[in-house]
Amino acid sequence: MSRILIIEDEEAIADLEKDYLELSGFQVEIEDRGDTGLTRALKEEFNLIILDLMLPGMDGFEICKQIREEKNIPVIMVSAKKDDIDKIRGLGLGADDYMTKPFSPSELVARVKAHMARYERLIGSGIKENEIVEIRGIKIDKTARRVWINGEEKAFTSKEFDLLTFLAQNPNHVYTKEELFSKIWDMESIGDIATVTVHIKKIREKIEFNTAKPQYIETIWGVGYRFKV
Ligand code: CA
């Protein structure tokens, strides 16, 4: 659930905002002092801050500035004076929105939702970005563990995938079968290095046009394998 911190010293206003936001499904906390509000804003995980300008302990200007130095969560600043709002805008403190009191609670809720959605898209796009390795027609999605060869998806077993990815990420470097075995298979597994040969053969059948003349994974006779660039 999304958490909102209201830093507001007028109890009636804070309670009204809290009621409306809770009805919309948000979890809401209230702090009635600027200094304690800032401490909580920095220490705890909130998804959005509603910040009054005139507060005991520390004013909204300073709070907004300090939040921005550490976090980029949305901050909506509110003030009873239209002039103050203009002043804050001019200062470029990094608040995401400004509202003049009195405002309708439903308008506040609408703005909260809009800022939260925008922020989540921003964050979400970062988290969801998959790690991709692309090399000469081979595309490896490390996050989804999927592989495409010239646009066509091919199925790989777990160890085939690990071996191919390792070689593709370290191209132009010759690895012995022993090195590959110790990197891809866990050290406790009792296998022999012939396992590596078998897996290389299977990978080649999936990625090479002609396995007799490999274009990607070269055999360096008497040494091991190398991914060509
Ligand atoms: Ca106030």
Side-chain angles (χ1 to χ4, degrees):
M1 188 190 279
S2 296
R3 291 182 80 214
I4 295 172
L5 177 64
I6 298 172
I7 308 177
E8 170 66 72
D9 59 331
E10 283 172 75
E11 201 183 336
I13 291 178
D15 287 345
L16 183 68
E17 291 173 355
K18 185 173 194 267
D19 287 348
Y20 271 82
L21 290 165
E22 282 180 346
L23 279 172
S24 299
F26 297 110
Q27 190 186 325
V28 182
E29 306 280 330
I30 297 173
E31 274 296 323
D32 62 0
R33 289 184 56 87
D35 43 7
T36 53
L38 174 66
T39 304
R40 289 193 68 183
L42 294 180
K43 262 191 170 164
E44 297 178 34
E45 289 300 316
F46 290 102
N47 302 80
L48 185 140
I49 313 263
I50 297 170
L51 178 61
D52 184 30
L53 185 59
M54 298 312 292
L55 291 160
M58 182 186 287
D59 67 29
F61 292 108
E62 186 60 26
I63 295 170
C64 187
K65 197 173 130 239
Q66 292 204 30
I67 290 173
R68 271 296 161 266
E69 281 170 10
E70 290 193 32
K71 296 188 172 194
N72 55 1
I73 50 170
V75 175
I76 299 179
M77 288 197 80
V78 297
S79 172
K81 291 188 199 153
K82 174 80 171 64
D83 289 355
D84 285 341
I85 295 291
D86 294 337
K87 194 172 151 197
I88 317 168
R89 280 183 201 276
L91 284 173
L93 291 173
D96 296 86
D97 209 346
Y98 309 89
M99 296 181 79
T100 309
K101 290 190 272 191
F103 45 77
S104 80
S106 53
E107 193 192 341
L108 176 70
V109 170
R111 293 206 196 182
V112 163
K113 283 181 176 170
H115 284 290
M116 223 171 247
R118 190 184 58 84
Y119 183 65
E120 273 158 19
R121 274 199 305 278
L122 213 68
I123 296 298
S125 63
I127 290 168
K128 284 178 197 141
E129 202 159 286
N130 286 8
E131 197 182 337
I132 307 281
V133 178
E134 270 191 290
I135 189 160
R136 289 198 295 122
I138 297 183
K139 181 179 165 186
I140 302 169
D141 183 333
K142 289 182 69 185
T143 317
R145 294 182 69 88
R146 296 170 73 182
V147 181
W148 291 262
I149 312 299
N150 297 317
E152 189 189 338
E153 186 168 8
K154 303 270 182 164
F156 286 79
T157 66
S158 170
K159 293 299 179 200
E160 288 166 7
F161 180 89
D162 292 341
L163 184 55
L164 172 63
T165 304
F166 176 76
L167 288 169
Q169 282 193 296
N170 298 279
N172 217 20
H173 183 128
V174 182
Y175 291 96
T176 65
K177 291 173 189 173
E178 287 83 359
E179 282 172 328
L180 292 172
F181 187 76
S182 72
K183 282 184 195 301
I184 307 301
W185 282 264
D186 72 66
M187 299 306 285
E188 284 160 33
S189 68
I190 304 164
D192 67 81
I193 56 166
T195 309
V196 177
T197 315
V198 172
H199 278 73
I200 293 283
K201 182 171 177 288
K202 287 182 176 165
I203 293 169
R204 278 180 175 154
E205 284 165 5
K206 294 171 191 180
I207 67 172
E208 298 288 355
F209 178 69
N210 177 356
T211 54
K213 287 183 177 176
Q215 298 299 304
Y216 295 106
I217 301 174
E218 276 184 302
T219 300
I220 310 299
W221 293 108
V223 188
Y225 299 102
R226 174 174 62 194
F227 197 99
K228 280 203 274 189
V229 279

